[in-house]
């Protein structure tokens, strides 16, 4: 449920450094990553062929789709390696008290 445009997806401390949590919001799958400088969220649907991109290996800021190896920057959604050519959607993440929240207008 969205409160002032944000949805709580995890508690602070629940996602370890370099870790991720994959959640369902409405009928979409969203992955929240904890990077060195904060939390970032992308839609967990590869723009190449719909693969579960966030289930692949993460190296620094870069996630690799486990299906055919496309790579995306988790912070910006930008493609950094083919075969994908379109960016993945990103979402605003904020910390509110003990909650990690994703912007969900
Ligand atoms: S579905 Fe992700 S690289 Fe093909």
């Amino acid at each position: 449920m969205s409160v002032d445009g944000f949805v709580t997806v995890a508690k602070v401390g629940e996602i370890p450094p370099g870790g991720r949590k994959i959640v369902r919001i409405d009928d979409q799958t969203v992955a929240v990553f904890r990077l060195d400088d904060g939390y970032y969220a992308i839609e967990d649907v590869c723009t190449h062929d719909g693969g579960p991109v966030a289930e692949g290996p993460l190296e620094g800021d870069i996630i690799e789709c486990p299906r055919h190896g496309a790579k995306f920057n988790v912070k910006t959604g930008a493609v950094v390696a083919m075969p994908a050519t379109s960016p993945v959607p990103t979402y605003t993440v904020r910390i509110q008290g003990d909650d990690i929240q994703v912007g969900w207008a």
Side-chain angles (χ1 to χ4, degrees):
M1 184 173 56
S2 170
V3 178
D4 79 22
F6 283 82
V7 175
T8 298
V9 294
K11 291 290 182 190
V12 170
E14 185 181 331
I15 305 172
R20 73 200 77 172
K21 181 175 182 182
I22 297 169
V23 298
R24 293 283 296 179
I25 307 176
D26 296 333
D27 59 353
Q28 281 176 256
T29 309
V30 174
V32 182
F33 294 86
R34 181 175 173 185
L35 303 183
D36 287 346
D37 61 350
Y39 295 92
Y40 296 87
I42 62 169
E43 185 176 359
D44 185 19
V45 179
C46 183
T47 57
H48 173 237
D49 194 27
V53 60
E55 293 177 16
L58 177 71
E59 209 172 307
D61 301 346
I62 307 301
I63 189 78
E64 179 180 337
C65 180
R67 196 166 287 176
H68 311 105
K71 295 182 181 179
F72 300 88
N73 185 309
V74 167
K75 293 183 176 178
T76 65
V79 177
V80 296
M82 301 274 268
T85 55
S86 302
V88 285
T90 59
Y91 302 96
T92 304
V93 182
R94 74 176 184 187
I95 306 298
Q96 199 80 334
D98 282 343
D99 293 334
I100 300 168
Q101 300 181 327
V102 168
W104 203 257

